[in-house]
Amino acid sequence: MKKLFISQPMKNKTDEEILKEREKAIQKAKEVCGEEVEVIDSFFKSAPADAKPLWFLGESLKLLSTADIAYFAAGWHGARGCKIEHECAVEYGIDVIEDYSEYENEGMNFGVAIELLKKGVKVAREGWNEKGLSVVYQKAYPQGIQCNKQTAEAWGLKEGDLFKCEPYLQINTTDDSHAMWVPSIRDCLANDWVIVE
């Protein structure tokens, strides 16, 4: 059974809202792990009266160090303590689950969209005239991948030669094909990017 640490923004939230969000985190972690999880109690209901935010962060990091997996609740990337916990989890090899549900029904800027793309999330603009379009991030092949006949012919290589490739963005088209994609200035400055399921 894996030990689960939950990182969530708590500012201006009631205990009821916090606990409801924790239940969602537990269910999602069970789905990802395919088994029950042991929840680390990181919701400090009693703390020293003079405890400052850094005290809470220090205590949280102690608990995080015992975790196998960490769930980062919606809004985590806007909360400084959660961002520090996230960086620690990634740097020290703790598996992470990231919740970006706050972007499912409202637009975001391209900077956030790019970060989500790098994490494997599919995105699109609400303002695009053609419906059904979406963009994905294609990872690099720094060690190379065996090229097929078409790629070999295009680059003057032999079929099966290693072909090194940098990461790029790819879009699906209205005729069900796919193409490399470069955002326009309008795309870069837009605030109507959304997550596509």
PDB file of all heavy atoms in Angstrom, residues 8-9 13-14 17 40 46 56 77-78 85 104 113 115 117 138 142 149 161 169 172-173 179 188 190 193:
ATOM      1  N   GLN A   8      -2.279  20.934  -0.926  1.00  0.00           N
ATOM      2  CA  GLN A   8      -3.413  21.710  -1.417  1.00  0.00           C
ATOM      3  C   GLN A   8      -3.386  23.131  -0.870  1.00  0.00           C
ATOM      4  O   GLN A   8      -3.000  23.347   0.277  1.00  0.00           O
ATOM      5  CB  GLN A   8      -4.730  21.028  -1.016  1.00  0.00           C
ATOM      6  CG  GLN A   8      -4.940  20.928   0.482  1.00  0.00           C
ATOM      7  CD  GLN A   8      -6.129  20.082   0.870  1.00  0.00           C
ATOM      8  OE1 GLN A   8      -5.998  19.216   1.712  1.00  0.00           O
ATOM      9  NE2 GLN A   8      -7.283  20.317   0.291  1.00  0.00           N
ATOM     10  N   PRO A   9      -3.805  24.091  -1.685  1.00  0.00           N
ATOM     11  CA  PRO A   9      -3.931  25.456  -1.170  1.00  0.00           C
ATOM     12  C   PRO A   9      -5.046  25.480  -0.125  1.00  0.00           C
ATOM     13  O   PRO A   9      -6.107  24.901  -0.333  1.00  0.00           O
ATOM     14  CB  PRO A   9      -4.336  26.271  -2.405  1.00  0.00           C
ATOM     15  CG  PRO A   9      -4.002  25.411  -3.573  1.00  0.00           C
ATOM     16  CD  PRO A   9      -4.126  23.996  -3.102  1.00  0.00           C
ATOM     17  N   LYS A  13     -10.058  28.917   2.737  1.00  0.00           N
ATOM     18  CA  LYS A  13     -10.959  27.785   2.557  1.00  0.00           C
ATOM     19  C   LYS A  13     -11.418  27.284   3.912  1.00  0.00           C
ATOM     20  O   LYS A  13     -10.670  27.311   4.881  1.00  0.00           O
ATOM     21  CB  LYS A  13     -10.256  26.649   1.801  1.00  0.00           C
ATOM     22  CG  LYS A  13      -9.967  26.984   0.348  1.00  0.00           C
ATOM     23  CD  LYS A  13      -9.408  25.789  -0.391  1.00  0.00           C
ATOM     24  CE  LYS A  13      -9.148  26.152  -1.839  1.00  0.00           C
ATOM     25  NZ  LYS A  13      -8.551  25.038  -2.579  1.00  0.00           N
ATOM     26  N   THR A  14     -12.643  26.816   3.950  1.00  0.00           N
ATOM     27  CA  THR A  14     -13.175  26.254   5.199  1.00  0.00           C
ATOM     28  C   THR A  14     -12.622  24.838   5.373  1.00  0.00           C
ATOM     29  O   THR A  14     -12.172  24.204   4.411  1.00  0.00           O
ATOM     30  CB  THR A  14     -14.714  26.182   5.154  1.00  0.00           C
ATOM     31  OG1 THR A  14     -15.103  25.249   4.126  1.00  0.00           O
ATOM     32  CG2 THR A  14     -15.325  27.548   4.871  1.00  0.00           C
ATOM     33  N   GLU A  17     -14.349  22.501   3.002  1.00  0.00           N
ATOM     34  CA  GLU A  17     -13.848  22.551   1.624  1.00  0.00           C
ATOM     35  C   GLU A  17     -12.523  21.801   1.498  1.00  0.00           C
ATOM     36  O   GLU A  17     -12.286  21.067   0.529  1.00  0.00           O
ATOM     37  CB  GLU A  17     -13.661  24.010   1.178  1.00  0.00           C
ATOM     38  CG  GLU A  17     -14.968  24.757   0.968  1.00  0.00           C
ATOM     39  CD  GLU A  17     -14.764  26.250   0.747  1.00  0.00           C
ATOM     40  OE1 GLU A  17     -13.828  26.831   1.347  1.00  0.00           O
ATOM     41  OE2 GLU A  17     -15.546  26.827  -0.034  1.00  0.00           O
ATOM     42  N   ILE A  40      -1.314  10.216   4.488  1.00  0.00           N
ATOM     43  CA  ILE A  40      -0.503  10.904   5.493  1.00  0.00           C
ATOM     44  C   ILE A  40      -1.291  12.118   5.952  1.00  0.00           C
ATOM     45  O   ILE A  40      -1.727  12.927   5.134  1.00  0.00           O
ATOM     46  CB  ILE A  40       0.860  11.335   4.892  1.00  0.00           C
ATOM     47  CG1 ILE A  40       1.639  10.095   4.454  1.00  0.00           C
ATOM     48  CG2 ILE A  40       1.649  12.175   5.882  1.00  0.00           C
ATOM     49  CD1 ILE A  40       2.856  10.408   3.593  1.00  0.00           C
ATOM     50  N   SER A  46      -4.343  21.354  14.671  1.00  0.00           N
ATOM     51  CA  SER A  46      -3.838  22.045  15.860  1.00  0.00           C
ATOM     52  C   SER A  46      -2.372  22.383  15.621  1.00  0.00           C
ATOM     53  O   SER A  46      -1.573  21.521  15.303  1.00  0.00           O
ATOM     54  CB  SER A  46      -3.986  21.166  17.104  1.00  0.00           C
ATOM     55  OG  SER A  46      -3.310  19.944  16.920  1.00  0.00           O
ATOM     56  N   PHE A  56       4.371  25.671   8.963  1.00  0.00           N
ATOM     57  CA  PHE A  56       3.525  24.667   8.319  1.00  0.00           C
ATOM     58  C   PHE A  56       4.269  23.980   7.177  1.00  0.00           C
ATOM     59  O   PHE A  56       4.181  22.772   7.009  1.00  0.00           O
ATOM     60  CB  PHE A  56       2.231  25.310   7.798  1.00  0.00           C
ATOM     61  CG  PHE A  56       1.281  25.712   8.875  1.00  0.00           C
ATOM     62  CD1 PHE A  56       1.249  27.015   9.348  1.00  0.00           C
ATOM     63  CD2 PHE A  56       0.410  24.786   9.435  1.00  0.00           C
ATOM     64  CE1 PHE A  56       0.364  27.384  10.355  1.00  0.00           C
ATOM     65  CE2 PHE A  56      -0.483  25.140  10.439  1.00  0.00           C
ATOM     66  CZ  PHE A  56      -0.498  26.439  10.902  1.00  0.00           C
ATOM     67  N   HIS A  77      -0.250  25.286  -8.279  1.00  0.00           N
ATOM     68  CA  HIS A  77       0.826  26.054  -8.922  1.00  0.00           C
ATOM     69  C   HIS A  77       0.750  27.539  -8.621  1.00  0.00           C
ATOM     70  O   HIS A  77       1.657  28.293  -8.959  1.00  0.00           O
ATOM     71  CB  HIS A  77       0.827  25.820 -10.436  1.00  0.00           C
ATOM     72  CG  HIS A  77      -0.536  25.915 -11.032  1.00  0.00           C
ATOM     73  ND1 HIS A  77      -1.144  27.100 -11.328  1.00  0.00           N
ATOM     74  CD2 HIS A  77      -1.430  24.941 -11.305  1.00  0.00           C
ATOM     75  CE1 HIS A  77      -2.355  26.861 -11.791  1.00  0.00           C
ATOM     76  NE2 HIS A  77      -2.553  25.560 -11.784  1.00  0.00           N
ATOM     77  N   GLY A  78      -0.310  27.973  -7.939  1.00  0.00           N
ATOM     78  CA  GLY A  78      -0.438  29.371  -7.538  1.00  0.00           C
ATOM     79  C   GLY A  78      -0.201  29.581  -6.050  1.00  0.00           C
ATOM     80  O   GLY A  78      -0.330  30.694  -5.544  1.00  0.00           O
ATOM     81  N   GLU A  85       6.645  22.256  -2.227  1.00  0.00           N
ATOM     82  CA  GLU A  85       6.426  20.824  -2.003  1.00  0.00           C
ATOM     83  C   GLU A  85       6.534  20.055  -3.322  1.00  0.00           C
ATOM     84  O   GLU A  85       7.126  18.973  -3.373  1.00  0.00           O
ATOM     85  CB  GLU A  85       5.051  20.598  -1.366  1.00  0.00           C
ATOM     86  CG  GLU A  85       4.972  21.100   0.060  1.00  0.00           C
ATOM     87  CD  GLU A  85       3.553  21.198   0.596  1.00  0.00           C
ATOM     88  OE1 GLU A  85       2.581  21.032  -0.183  1.00  0.00           O
ATOM     89  OE2 GLU A  85       3.409  21.460   1.808  1.00  0.00           O
ATOM     90  N   GLU A 104     -10.540  23.549 -16.534  1.00  0.00           N
ATOM     91  CA  GLU A 104     -11.443  22.815 -17.416  1.00  0.00           C
ATOM     92  C   GLU A 104     -12.587  23.673 -17.931  1.00  0.00           C
ATOM     93  O   GLU A 104     -13.079  23.459 -19.023  1.00  0.00           O
ATOM     94  CB  GLU A 104     -11.982  21.569 -16.709  1.00  0.00           C
ATOM     95  CG  GLU A 104     -10.908  20.498 -16.554  1.00  0.00           C
ATOM     96  CD  GLU A 104     -11.364  19.304 -15.769  1.00  0.00           C
ATOM     97  OE1 GLU A 104     -12.516  19.296 -15.279  1.00  0.00           O
ATOM     98  OE2 GLU A 104     -10.563  18.362 -15.613  1.00  0.00           O
ATOM     99  N   ALA A 113      -0.718  27.100 -20.600  1.00  0.00           N
ATOM    100  CA  ALA A 113      -0.992  26.050 -21.582  1.00  0.00           C
ATOM    101  C   ALA A 113       0.284  25.294 -21.953  1.00  0.00           C
ATOM    102  O   ALA A 113       0.285  24.067 -22.043  1.00  0.00           O
ATOM    103  CB  ALA A 113      -1.644  26.648 -22.832  1.00  0.00           C
ATOM    104  N   GLU A 115       3.009  24.903 -20.128  1.00  0.00           N
ATOM    105  CA  GLU A 115       3.423  24.054 -19.007  1.00  0.00           C
ATOM    106  C   GLU A 115       2.575  22.788 -18.947  1.00  0.00           C
ATOM    107  O   GLU A 115       3.081  21.705 -18.670  1.00  0.00           O
ATOM    108  CB  GLU A 115       3.350  24.828 -17.686  1.00  0.00           C
ATOM    109  CG  GLU A 115       4.389  25.912 -17.564  1.00  0.00           C
ATOM    110  CD  GLU A 115       5.809  25.409 -17.808  1.00  0.00           C
ATOM    111  OE1 GLU A 115       6.192  24.376 -17.215  1.00  0.00           O
ATOM    112  OE2 GLU A 115       6.524  26.035 -18.619  1.00  0.00           O
ATOM    113  N   LEU A 117       1.052  21.400 -21.550  1.00  0.00           N
ATOM    114  CA  LEU A 117       1.443  20.594 -22.706  1.00  0.00           C
ATOM    115  C   LEU A 117       2.661  19.733 -22.376  1.00  0.00           C
ATOM    116  O   LEU A 117       2.702  18.544 -22.709  1.00  0.00           O
ATOM    117  CB  LEU A 117       1.758  21.496 -23.905  1.00  0.00           C
ATOM    118  CG  LEU A 117       0.551  22.050 -24.666  1.00  0.00           C
ATOM    119  CD1 LEU A 117       0.960  23.205 -25.565  1.00  0.00           C
ATOM    120  CD2 LEU A 117      -0.128  20.956 -25.483  1.00  0.00           C
ATOM    121  N   GLN A 138       4.920  16.903 -28.429  1.00  0.00           N
ATOM    122  CA  GLN A 138       5.637  15.694 -28.826  1.00  0.00           C
ATOM    123  C   GLN A 138       7.028  15.748 -28.211  1.00  0.00           C
ATOM    124  O   GLN A 138       7.767  16.699 -28.440  1.00  0.00           O
ATOM    125  CB  GLN A 138       5.738  15.603 -30.358  1.00  0.00           C
ATOM    126  CG  GLN A 138       4.420  15.297 -31.026  1.00  0.00           C
ATOM    127  CD  GLN A 138       3.974  13.855 -30.805  1.00  0.00           C
ATOM    128  OE1 GLN A 138       4.703  13.030 -30.271  1.00  0.00           O
ATOM    129  NE2 GLN A 138       2.760  13.555 -31.212  1.00  0.00           N
ATOM    130  N   PRO A 142      16.275  12.522 -28.023  1.00  0.00           N
ATOM    131  CA  PRO A 142      17.668  12.971 -27.998  1.00  0.00           C
ATOM    132  C   PRO A 142      18.666  11.873 -28.354  1.00  0.00           C
ATOM    133  O   PRO A 142      19.749  12.152 -28.867  1.00  0.00           O
ATOM    134  CB  PRO A 142      17.868  13.460 -26.565  1.00  0.00           C
ATOM    135  CG  PRO A 142      16.797  12.799 -25.773  1.00  0.00           C
ATOM    136  CD  PRO A 142      15.654  12.586 -26.701  1.00  0.00           C
ATOM    137  N   LYS A 149      10.956   4.803 -43.930  1.00  0.00           N
ATOM    138  CA  LYS A 149      11.370   5.021 -45.324  1.00  0.00           C
ATOM    139  C   LYS A 149      11.145   6.463 -45.756  1.00  0.00           C
ATOM    140  O   LYS A 149      12.006   7.091 -46.371  1.00  0.00           O
ATOM    141  CB  LYS A 149      10.604   4.053 -46.235  1.00  0.00           C
ATOM    142  CG  LYS A 149      10.992   4.171 -47.689  1.00  0.00           C
ATOM    143  CD  LYS A 149      10.236   3.172 -48.529  1.00  0.00           C
ATOM    144  CE  LYS A 149      10.631   3.332 -49.998  1.00  0.00           C
ATOM    145  NZ  LYS A 149       9.888   2.407 -50.861  1.00  0.00           N
ATOM    146  N   ASP A 161      18.161   4.227 -39.922  1.00  0.00           N
ATOM    147  CA  ASP A 161      19.169   5.072 -39.276  1.00  0.00           C
ATOM    148  C   ASP A 161      18.544   5.795 -38.094  1.00  0.00           C
ATOM    149  O   ASP A 161      17.344   6.072 -38.084  1.00  0.00           O
ATOM    150  CB  ASP A 161      19.705   6.134 -40.253  1.00  0.00           C
ATOM    151  CG  ASP A 161      20.765   5.576 -41.199  1.00  0.00           C
ATOM    152  OD1 ASP A 161      21.152   4.418 -41.034  1.00  0.00           O
ATOM    153  OD2 ASP A 161      21.177   6.332 -42.108  1.00  0.00           O
ATOM    154  N   LEU A 169       5.419  20.947 -31.085  1.00  0.00           N
ATOM    155  CA  LEU A 169       3.976  20.930 -30.864  1.00  0.00           C
ATOM    156  C   LEU A 169       3.302  20.367 -32.105  1.00  0.00           C
ATOM    157  O   LEU A 169       3.751  20.599 -33.226  1.00  0.00           O
ATOM    158  CB  LEU A 169       3.452  22.341 -30.573  1.00  0.00           C
ATOM    159  CG  LEU A 169       4.030  23.016 -29.332  1.00  0.00           C
ATOM    160  CD1 LEU A 169       3.489  24.440 -29.192  1.00  0.00           C
ATOM    161  CD2 LEU A 169       3.734  22.221 -28.080  1.00  0.00           C
ATOM    162  N   ASN A 172      -4.030  18.515 -34.403  1.00  0.00           N
ATOM    163  CA  ASN A 172      -4.852  17.690 -35.282  1.00  0.00           C
ATOM    164  C   ASN A 172      -5.589  18.629 -36.231  1.00  0.00           C
ATOM    165  O   ASN A 172      -5.847  19.788 -35.899  1.00  0.00           O
ATOM    166  CB  ASN A 172      -5.825  16.809 -34.494  1.00  0.00           C
ATOM    167  CG  ASN A 172      -6.837  17.618 -33.721  1.00  0.00           C
ATOM    168  OD1 ASN A 172      -6.531  18.678 -33.185  1.00  0.00           O
ATOM    169  ND2 ASN A 172      -8.050  17.132 -33.635  1.00  0.00           N
ATOM    170  N   THR A 173      -5.882  18.177 -37.415  1.00  0.00           N
ATOM    171  CA  THR A 173      -6.526  19.032 -38.407  1.00  0.00           C
ATOM    172  C   THR A 173      -7.964  18.583 -38.631  1.00  0.00           C
ATOM    173  O   THR A 173      -8.380  17.521 -38.160  1.00  0.00           O
ATOM    174  CB  THR A 173      -5.756  18.998 -39.738  1.00  0.00           C
ATOM    175  OG1 THR A 173      -5.795  17.662 -40.254  1.00  0.00           O
ATOM    176  CG2 THR A 173      -4.301  19.415 -39.545  1.00  0.00           C
ATOM    177  N   ALA A 179      -0.309  17.690 -37.881  1.00  0.00           N
ATOM    178  CA  ALA A 179       0.777  18.496 -38.437  1.00  0.00           C
ATOM    179  C   ALA A 179       1.568  19.151 -37.312  1.00  0.00           C
ATOM    180  O   ALA A 179       1.041  19.383 -36.220  1.00  0.00           O
ATOM    181  CB  ALA A 179       0.209  19.567 -39.364  1.00  0.00           C
ATOM    182  N   CYS A 188      -0.382  33.134 -28.823  1.00  0.00           N
ATOM    183  CA  CYS A 188       0.515  33.371 -27.685  1.00  0.00           C
ATOM    184  C   CYS A 188      -0.067  34.359 -26.677  1.00  0.00           C
ATOM    185  O   CYS A 188       0.204  34.259 -25.478  1.00  0.00           O
ATOM    186  CB  CYS A 188       1.869  33.887 -28.172  1.00  0.00           C
ATOM    187  SG  CYS A 188       2.819  32.661 -29.071  1.00  0.00           S
ATOM    188  N   ALA A 190      -3.388  35.005 -26.283  1.00  0.00           N
ATOM    189  CA  ALA A 190      -4.774  34.681 -25.932  1.00  0.00           C
ATOM    190  C   ALA A 190      -4.904  34.191 -24.496  1.00  0.00           C
ATOM    191  O   ALA A 190      -3.979  33.609 -23.940  1.00  0.00           O
ATOM    192  CB  ALA A 190      -5.318  33.628 -26.895  1.00  0.00           C
ATOM    193  N   TRP A 193      -7.264  29.607 -23.610  1.00  0.00           N
ATOM    194  CA  TRP A 193      -6.791  28.229 -23.721  1.00  0.00           C
ATOM    195  C   TRP A 193      -7.526  27.355 -22.700  1.00  0.00           C
ATOM    196  O   TRP A 193      -7.734  27.775 -21.557  1.00  0.00           O
ATOM    197  CB  TRP A 193      -5.281  28.159 -23.471  1.00  0.00           C
ATOM    198  CG  TRP A 193      -4.494  28.688 -24.628  1.00  0.00           C
ATOM    199  CD1 TRP A 193      -4.039  29.959 -24.795  1.00  0.00           C
ATOM    200  CD2 TRP A 193      -4.109  27.956 -25.789  1.00  0.00           C
ATOM    201  NE1 TRP A 193      -3.375  30.071 -25.988  1.00  0.00           N
ATOM    202  CE2 TRP A 193      -3.388  28.855 -26.623  1.00  0.00           C
ATOM    203  CE3 TRP A 193      -4.260  26.639 -26.208  1.00  0.00           C
ATOM    204  CZ2 TRP A 193      -2.869  28.475 -27.844  1.00  0.00           C
ATOM    205  CZ3 TRP A 193      -3.726  26.262 -27.419  1.00  0.00           C
ATOM    206  CH2 TRP A 193      -3.035  27.161 -28.224  1.00  0.00           C
TER     207      TRP A 193
END
